[in-house]
Amino acid sequence: MNIEIPPGLTELLQDYTVEVLRNRPSDLLGFTADYFARLRDARDQEGGVTRKVVSFDGEPMQTESNGEEEPDHGDEDDDYDFEPALINRYNRRVSVCAEVFNPDEEEEDTEQKIVHPKTDEQRCRLQEACKDILLFKNLDQEQLSQVLDAMFERKVTPQEHVIDQGDDGDNFYVIERGSYDIIVAKDDQSRRVGCYENHGSFGELALMYNTPRAATIIATTEGALWGLDRVTFRRIILKNNAKKRKTYESFIESVPLLKSLEASERMKIVDVIGEKVYQDGERILSQGDKADCFYIVETGEVKILIKSKTVTSTEVNQEVEIGRCQRGQYFGELALITNKPRAASAYAVGEVKCLVMDVQAFERLLGPCMDIMKRNITHYEEQLIAMFGSSMDLTDPGI
C-alpha cells in the first residue's frame, strides 16, 4: 500500500516537536491544542494562506546540554512562552531542519562532486590537520580523498565568530591552528564552556541532526580552519555513519556505563566514536601523558599498570598491574575527569579493538554519566591503598 505524505506535514510536525522540547509542557494535550489554535488564527489573519512555521522567538533549543532543566510552570497551564512566527521572503532563509535525507538509501550518487583546488603545500597541511579527526577514521581511501578535495581553507582573525549559536549549520570545520572559545548562551547569560587549541573539529552535530548550532565559536587568535560543506558532509560522512550505527548500535546499548543515557544520546556517541586496533603487548596509553581520549573495549582484554612512588627505590620504574578491562568496560576517563596527566598505563593483551572518543566529545556527550565515573575514582583509590598503602599514585599530578 502506498501512503502519500501531504505537503507541509513533515515541516509542521518538526516545528511542533521543537516547541514541545523548548517548553517542556506539563499538560502536553493542552499545549498542543493551544499551539495549533494559534497557528490557525495566524493563518486566518493572513487571508487564509498557510505558511510554513520555521522559527520561533526566544532562545534556540539546546541540543547538547549536559543536564536537565526543571520546567518553569506558571499559574496557568496554557501560558506557554511561544509565538509561531510566519516567514516571508524577506526573513532568514528556510531552516535546513526541514531537509530530508536518508543515509540508509543505497541510491546511486548522481550529485556533482565539489572540488576546491589546492597546492601541494595546502594539501599537506590539510592532511596533517585531518589525520586524527575521528569522523574521518572509518572512511575508505576514496571517500577520504573526496572529503579532502571538497574542503576549503578559511583564515580567521581574533574575535571573529566562526559559527553562532542558533544559526543553521552550513559547514563542518577542522582546526589547523589557532585558539577558539566555545560560548553557550542560556537564560540571557553567555558562558565560556571550553576551548580548542590548535587542533580538533566542530560543527558536526548541527549537520548530523539538522538542528541549530548549539554554541558560538569565537577565534581568540589568528588561525586557519578547513571547512567542509554540508552537502558533501551529509553525502559521505552521514552515509558512512549510518553503516557504523548498524555495526555498533547493539554493542553501545550493552555497555553498562551508557545504559543511563537516552537512546538518542547513545546514537550521538556512535556517531563520534572511532575504532582502533592494538596488537599484543602494544601500549595504548602511558602514565604521565596528557589525556586526549576515552576508551571502551570492544573485543579483547586490556591490562592497567601503574608505577608506584611508594615502592622501594630499586623498583621505582617497575609497573604493577592493578586491573584488567574486558568487553564493554572502559578506561582513560580518570585523567579527563580530574584534568590531570594519565595516572596509569594500559597495554593490549592479545589483539584488542577499542572504541575511542576524543576529549571534546567526551565532555559534550557523557555529562549524564559523570557521576558514575566519579564514583569509580573512590574504587580506584581503595585498590591503590590495598596494594601500596597509599592512594598518592592516583592523586599526584606529577605521576
Side-chain angles (χ1 to χ4, degrees):
M1 178 177 64
N2 293 326
I3 300 177
E4 183 177 348
I5 299 176
L9 176 62
T10 300
E11 293 87 345
L12 181 68
L13 294 179
Q14 284 176 334
D15 295 328
Y16 162 71
T17 302
V18 167
E19 281 304 290
V20 170
L21 294 174
R22 277 188 66 232
N23 290 277
R24 301 181 183 179
S26 57
D27 179 8
L28 181 59
L29 186 59
F31 176 88
T32 303
D34 190 30
Y35 175 84
F36 285 106
R38 293 195 191 192
L39 278 186
R40 182 186 58 197
D41 293 343
R43 179 200 63 186
D44 293 344
Q45 290 174 7
E46 290 292 319
V49 179
T50 303
R51 290 179 172 84
K52 182 166 58 179
V53 178
V54 295
S55 68
F56 300 89
D57 295 335
E59 178 184 317
M61 181 178 67
Q62 298 298 309
T63 60
E64 299 172 2
S65 173
N66 284 338
E68 291 290 333
E69 295 180 53
E70 291 296 326
D72 184 15
H73 303 310
D75 295 333
E76 298 181 12
D77 290 340
D78 293 336
D79 186 17
Y80 297 107
D81 179 24
F82 76 91
E83 185 66 35
L86 299 179
I87 298 302
N88 61 43
R89 63 190 179 92
Y90 299 107
N91 283 11
R92 184 177 156 190
R93 69 180 175 84
V94 173
S95 173
V96 296
C97 297
E99 182 178 84
V100 177
F101 179 81
N102 184 1
D104 293 319
E105 290 181 356
E106 296 294 336
E107 58 187 22
E108 186 178 352
D109 186 5
T110 57
E111 290 189 25
Q112 184 175 358
K113 294 178 176 60
I114 297 173
V115 177
H116 291 279
K118 300 172 184 67
T119 64
D120 291 342
E121 183 267 341
Q122 284 180 308
R123 189 83 176 190
C124 287
R125 287 193 288 112
L126 175 57
Q127 290 175 330
E128 180 66 21
C130 293
K131 68 178 183 180
D132 293 323
I133 302 301
L134 290 178
L135 278 175
F136 296 166
K137 289 292 186 183
N138 293 316
L139 300 179
D140 60 35
Q141 194 56 47
E142 182 181 356
Q143 290 172 324
L144 181 59
S145 180
Q146 289 182 28
V147 167
L148 297 182
D149 285 343
M151 297 185 79
F152 58 91
E153 188 172 14
R154 174 176 173 180
K155 300 289 182 64
V156 295
T157 56
Q159 301 309 310
E160 180 176 343
H161 286 221
V162 182
I163 62 176
D164 285 294
Q165 183 174 339
D167 282 358
D168 291 334
D170 292 327
N171 297 305
F172 166 69
Y173 291 99
V174 173
I175 297 170
E176 180 185 339
R177 57 182 172 82
S179 299
Y180 306 82
D181 280 346
I182 307 168
I183 308 295
V184 172
K186 188 175 182 181
D187 299 329
D188 296 325
Q189 301 258 339
S190 293
R191 186 167 63 95
R192 180 180 180 272
V193 298
C195 65
Y196 297 100
E197 294 286 347
N198 293 309
H199 68 88
S201 61
F202 57 86
E204 74 278 8
L205 294 186
L207 303 185
M208 285 179 171
Y209 306 111
N210 276 331
T211 55
R213 297 292 195 191
T216 296
I217 305 295
I218 303 175
T220 56
T221 66
E222 289 188 353
L225 301 164
W226 291 94
L228 180 66
D229 66 279
R230 68 177 291 107
V231 173
T232 305
F233 182 94
R234 292 168 70 78
R235 178 172 58 84
I236 298 178
I237 306 296
L238 280 198
K239 275 188 174 290
N240 185 266
N241 266 22
K243 296 176 182 177
K244 189 169 70 169
R245 279 189 175 192
K246 292 178 180 178
T247 302
Y248 294 135
E249 186 172 356
S250 59
F251 171 69
I252 289 295
E253 288 177 352
S254 72
V255 175
L257 172 69
L258 306 179
K259 286 187 180 294
S260 62
L261 297 179
E262 298 291 337
S264 60
E265 293 173 317
R266 287 196 294 268
M267 286 306 96
K268 287 183 180 181
I269 290 174
V270 172
D271 287 337
V272 299
I273 56 176
E275 181 183 275
K276 289 188 178 181
V277 178
Y278 302 91
Q279 301 306 314
D280 183 39
E282 186 175 353
R283 186 164 56 191
I284 301 171
L285 54 85
S286 298
Q287 183 174 339
D289 283 357
K290 181 180 178 181
D292 57 358
C293 288
F294 167 72
Y295 301 82
I296 301 175
V297 181
E298 183 183 3
T299 61
E301 188 175 37
V302 174
K303 59 181 179 181
I304 310 298
L305 291 88
I306 191 171
K307 294 177 183 177
S308 172
K309 286 188 174 182
T310 59
V311 296
T312 63
S313 59
T314 57
E315 299 176 327
V316 71
N317 292 320
Q318 180 180 350
E319 291 185 318
V320 180
E321 183 175 329
I322 62 170
R324 297 202 173 198
C325 296
Q326 298 173 330
R327 176 179 170 84
Q329 295 181 309
Y330 59 91
F331 61 96
E333 83 290 357
L334 181 61
L336 299 180
I337 295 173
T338 61
N339 291 316
K340 294 179 179 178
R342 296 291 190 191
S345 299
Y347 297 85
V349 179
E351 184 177 275
V352 173
K353 186 183 296 184
C354 289
L355 302 184
V356 185
M357 180 186 299
D358 66 28
V359 60
Q360 289 86 11
F362 176 87
E363 293 172 346
R364 191 172 63 209
L365 299 177
L366 288 187
C369 303
M370 204 62 71
D371 287 342
I372 298 173
M373 290 185 283
K374 285 180 178 177
R375 286 200 297 269
N376 284 339
I377 294 179
T378 303
H379 175 65
Y380 297 149
E381 290 176 336
E382 291 172 351
Q383 283 183 296
L384 292 173
I385 291 172
M387 297 180 69
F388 304 120
S390 169
S391 64
M392 63 180 293
D393 301 84
L394 184 65
T395 58
D396 189 343
I399 295 178

